Amino acid sequence: MNSYKWQAKLCIKIRSGANTTHYLDFNRIRFTGIPSTKKVKELEGIEFADRDDLVIELQKALSILRLEKSDATISNYYYKFTAYLKWCDSQHMLPIEEKTIQKFCTHCYERYRAGELRSSAYITITSTLKVIFSNLEINNASEQWMNNIVIIANSDNQPHEAYTNSDLKQMLPFLRSLFKQTAKQFSASPEEYMAASKKNSPMNFLWKGVNHKVYLAVNKMMIAATFLLSYYTYSNTTQLLSLRRPQSVGYRKENWYVMSAFKRRAFKVINIEIGDHHIDIPKYCIDFFNTLLEVSKLVDSSSDALLIQACWENKKAPLNNAFLRDFNSIFVKKNFPMYDSMGRELRFSVSRFRATGSIISQINNNEIEAALLLNNTPETIKRHYSDGNKLENNIMMQEAALIRAEQAKNLTTVEKAKETLHIKVLKYEELQDKLSPQIKKAAHGSYCADPFGEKSKKFSKKINSHNLHKANLACADLLNCFGCTHQVIVQSVEDIWCLLSFKECIEESIYYHLNARHFDHNFNQALEFIDKKIIPKIDKKIFNDAEIKLMEVGRHPLWLSPDSILMVK
């Protein structure tokens, strides 16, 4: 490479986790300080670094790693390594030398000790350098140079903070109103708004009695839809932005929608359901989702199109994190600033909506069900989605301390202390009633439309008679669900797989019975109902996919052993 000119062959085209295309430009590495691509093309005010051998080796190494790593990981490697090179240039040190590498890692460690870097950031930086140096052929000894760096534990993870009720009361009405108003105007004149630019064809948005002009309104409409979906489904950003427009599935005159999204790290397909009888979704959101389907078809009518897309000047593009970031930092901050109870700026965040859903699920159920809901392991739920909101936690702790102090000071009861201090403490059961959705998922994959009804009272009375739990429990009489008028079957692969696992577990338990008659007495009614009333009405593709999952993955974790069904009985 004798020429200093920008060369197209020194670029790698990749796709990000949000399904957008961008380039890793290795031309930048040829110059001191890693200047922007624009400056490299202009060749003004930049200095040649004389490291073309490293440029060629790095591009080759990342191209090879791309065969087994995701594009998002390769992009991360590139930006972490260019940051290292930029530091080397600022210190006037050669990058492929042992003393340089160790000095840089020591610099990062000191930043960690000073609180400028979290442990996870330090670990990511050093592990990235270790991977890259082990794949560079420019110096075979460089991999060993990383052996003497400081190793620390990843101990300062900060869980995502859930939104408080007061936060949601500000945010959700705004999102719903923005989506509803923009969708109505877009549906009336789709061609006009798809051709709109930053300077023409604005929509009108009426908020709190003030009329606002909204430019690039199709993008704002789709961003509002993204945040609402994150609240309703608890899905993460990558899954939401990669959703394909779903097909409607009918069952017993009730409709819901099934969308498949690929979760790269777990290498599996996640089904996200929205419908009248889904545990996660309130009924009033069905109108929102039907409207989203309509405007999505107007933006892109092709089959297998993305559900959510940006559109301006008749150009379509997948929505990505940059759109969500600009929505917060430009559109909302400038025109509709919102603040939480501590005076901090409120920003719309998919991760925080997801954390909010996790907390609600854990209050209603437990960490296992929350893990199923968020498609994570229980350990991940504990680590990242269990802390709730710090402000609400502190308020509850302060109120509890005040009540206890008043109780001790005046030798009174808890109820009297609460009355004296004018503190209303919500009982756990009241909190459950407040947050509980109308539909509750059972352990065998079906749902209950009346979990706290008359059967719940009988079940709670039976449990309380054994002094096991003094509370109003949701009905959990699993075998009697089959044939109950409140049972709801949702046609999703995950739920049908759980149901088939339950059925197989029942069948295997025959070896624990005295004889066939004893087995029939216990389980024949439930098995017959599953075989004759439920399975024939399940969509064939969903049923086949569930059977394949049962064969390939095995039974659901709740029903691995027939011991489980015997405990239920």
Side-chain angles (χ1 to χ4, degrees):
M1 291 186 293
N2 296 323
S3 174
Y4 293 165
K5 290 184 179 180
W6 183 89
Q7 301 175 49
K9 66 180 182 180
L10 294 179
C11 291
I12 296 179
K13 182 180 179 181
I14 66 171
R15 298 194 73 79
S16 70
N19 202 30
T20 58
T21 301
H22 64 281
Y23 292 87
L24 304 183
D25 188 357
F26 293 85
N27 289 278
R28 299 172 59 207
I29 299 174
R30 300 180 68 203
F31 298 89
T32 302
I34 320 297
S36 66
T37 298
K38 182 180 178 182
K39 287 187 176 181
V40 173
K41 288 182 176 180
E42 293 172 352
L43 284 177
E44 292 182 5
I46 58 176
E47 179 185 351
F48 187 66
D50 194 22
R51 52 186 175 215
D52 283 356
D53 289 345
L54 174 59
V55 171
I56 294 170
E57 279 295 319
L58 181 63
Q59 184 177 18
K60 178 183 175 183
L62 293 186
S63 298
I64 293 172
L65 285 170
R66 196 180 177 196
L67 298 174
E68 57 184 48
K69 304 286 186 181
S70 70
D71 279 6
T73 301
I74 298 301
S75 180
N76 180 61
Y77 287 166
Y78 170 84
Y79 288 111
K80 287 288 189 297
F81 196 72
T82 53
Y84 165 69
L85 294 175
K86 191 177 291 188
W87 179 87
C88 292
D89 291 342
S90 70
Q91 301 295 312
H92 306 289
M93 300 182 75
L94 296 175
I96 312 299
E97 284 192 355
E98 183 175 8
K99 63 179 181 180
T100 306
I101 293 171
Q102 294 190 353
K103 185 174 180 180
F104 175 74
C105 292
T106 301
H107 164 72
C108 292
Y109 179 67
E110 292 301 326
R111 289 185 64 200
Y112 158 71
R113 291 186 62 189
E116 297 175 12
L117 280 182
R118 290 168 56 185
S119 62
S120 56
Y122 174 83
I123 292 169
T124 301
I125 291 169
T126 53
S127 62
T128 297
L129 291 179
K130 192 174 290 187
V131 169
I132 291 176
F133 287 135
S134 66
N135 284 274
L136 289 178
E137 297 178 3
I138 199 168
N139 189 325
N140 293 328
S142 59
E143 184 180 0
Q144 281 72 43
W145 296 343
M146 297 291 295
N147 292 340
N148 296 323
I149 66 171
V150 178
I151 297 174
I152 62 175
N154 190 3
S155 57
D156 61 353
N157 282 327
Q158 289 186 346
H160 300 291
E161 186 177 15
Y163 289 117
T164 66
N165 286 332
S166 61
D167 294 341
L168 295 175
K169 285 177 182 178
Q170 291 185 73
M171 303 171 82
L172 294 179
F174 172 79
L175 290 174
R176 289 173 185 143
S177 184
L178 178 63
F179 176 78
K180 187 175 181 180
Q181 291 184 44
T182 52
K184 183 177 180 180
Q185 294 171 74
F186 175 69
S187 298
S189 184
E191 294 84 5
E192 175 189 355
Y193 294 113
M194 288 173 67
S197 68
K198 294 181 179 180
K199 298 181 179 180
N200 62 29
S201 301
M203 287 188 189
N204 296 313
F205 174 50
L206 183 64
W207 181 244
K208 295 184 176 179
V210 180
N211 195 41
H212 301 267
K213 296 290 184 182
V214 179
Y215 292 87
L216 296 179
V218 176
N219 297 353
K220 306 295 191 303
M221 172 183 71
M222 287 301 190
I223 292 167
T226 301
F227 287 122
L228 286 171
L229 274 179
S230 72
Y231 174 70
Y232 291 141
T233 67
Y234 313 151
S235 300
N236 63 36
T237 308
T238 302
Q239 291 164 22
L240 290 174
L241 298 184
S242 61
L243 288 174
R244 299 288 167 179
R245 194 163 53 241
Q247 295 180 345
S248 172
V249 181
Y251 177 61
R252 292 186 180 179
K253 301 181 181 179
E254 296 153 355
N255 294 318
W256 56 87
Y257 305 93
V258 179
M259 298 176 288
S260 293
F262 185 68
K263 189 173 183 182
R264 185 180 60 252
R265 284 177 299 169
F267 203 76
K268 65 179 180 179
V269 170
I270 294 169
N271 293 313
I272 301 170
E273 292 86 22
I274 294 185
D276 295 343
H277 290 299
H278 194 287
I279 186 172
D280 308 334
I281 307 302
K283 288 185 179 180
Y284 57 76
C285 93
I286 299 305
D287 290 336
F288 152 73
F289 191 71
N290 285 333
T291 303
L292 176 57
L293 281 179
E294 292 171 7
V295 296
S296 176
K297 290 175 184 176
L298 290 174
V299 171
D300 188 345
S301 60
S302 61
S303 61
D304 199 37
L306 288 170
L307 177 68
I308 296 172
Q309 294 188 70
C311 184
W312 69 100
E313 297 178 354
N314 290 320
K315 300 173 185 175
K316 302 185 189 85
L319 211 65
N320 59 42
N321 283 310
F323 287 95
L324 305 183
R325 184 174 59 250
D326 290 347
F327 179 81
N328 276 303
S329 59
I330 300 175
F331 179 67
V332 175
K333 185 175 183 178
K334 180 180 177 181
N335 302 294
F336 313 98
M338 302 178 195
Y339 302 93
D340 64 15
S341 302
M342 298 178 68
R344 298 174 302 183
E345 180 187 349
L346 269 179
R347 294 176 65 87
F348 296 94
S349 166
V350 171
S351 297
R352 292 191 66 184
F353 279 129
R354 183 171 165 84
T356 305
S358 172
I359 295 300
I360 292 174
S361 178
Q362 288 177 71
I363 288 173
N364 288 313
N365 306 296
N366 53 50
E367 286 169 348
I368 293 176
E369 292 193 26
L372 290 171
L373 181 66
L374 272 69
N375 294 289
N376 281 123
T377 63
E379 290 75 19
T380 301
I381 296 299
K382 287 180 182 179
R383 189 164 61 247
H384 295 293
Y385 296 101
S386 298
D387 280 11
N389 182 274
K390 292 179 182 177
L391 175 62
E392 286 189 334
N393 293 344
N394 289 336
I395 290 173
M396 286 189 286
M397 291 296 290
Q398 289 171 3
E399 288 180 343
L402 286 171
I403 290 170
R404 285 301 188 190
E406 176 68 20
Q407 188 184 3
K409 181 180 177 181
N410 296 315
L411 301 177
T412 184
T413 64
V414 172
E415 294 298 326
K416 286 284 187 182
K418 284 162 51 181
E419 187 177 336
T420 302
L421 296 170
H422 304 290
I423 294 175
K424 178 174 175 54
V425 177
L426 205 60
K427 292 181 180 179
Y428 179 75
E429 291 79 13
E430 293 172 344
L431 184 61
Q432 278 192 319
D433 292 340
K434 182 179 179 181
L435 295 175
S436 291
Q438 292 299 312
I439 308 297
K440 187 172 182 65
K441 188 174 182 177
H444 46 44
S446 71
Y447 294 75
C448 181
D450 190 24
F452 292 96
E454 288 300 317
K455 292 198 174 185
S456 162
K457 294 176 183 177
K458 294 178 182 178
F459 180 75
S460 297
K461 185 177 179 180
K462 180 179 178 181
I463 294 296
N464 291 337
S465 68
H466 294 281
N467 294 317
L468 296 176
H469 197 300
K470 295 295 182 183
N472 180 30
L473 300 175
C475 181
D477 196 354
L478 296 182
L479 291 176
N480 285 325
C481 285
F482 302 100
C484 176
T485 56
H486 300 301
Q487 187 182 34
V488 177
I489 303 296
V490 172
Q491 299 207 46
S492 78
V493 174
E494 294 293 317
D495 292 325
I496 303 305
W497 167 58
C498 187
L499 179 65
L500 293 179
S501 300
F502 178 75
K503 176 176 178 287
E504 191 175 280
C505 188
I506 288 179
E507 292 168 342
E508 190 176 323
S509 73
I510 191 170
Y511 302 109
Y512 286 77
H513 289 76
L514 298 175
N515 48 45
R517 183 178 178 183
H518 184 208
F519 174 79
D520 289 343
H521 174 74
N522 284 334
F523 298 118
N524 188 57
Q525 182 179 347
L527 285 175
E528 279 198 350
F529 193 88
I530 294 172
D531 286 332
K532 296 180 180 179
K533 301 291 186 180
I534 295 178
I535 290 177
K537 295 179 180 178
I538 298 173
D539 179 85
K540 289 183 179 178
K541 183 180 184 307
I542 293 174
F543 183 77
N544 290 338
D545 288 345
E547 279 198 316
I548 291 171
K549 181 166 185 175
L550 184 64
M551 288 187 290
E552 294 182 349
V553 177
R555 291 207 290 262
H556 190 282
L558 291 174
W559 308 115
L560 292 176
S561 166
D563 294 345
S564 305
I565 201 69
L566 294 178
M567 286 190 290
V568 167
K569 184 60 183 174

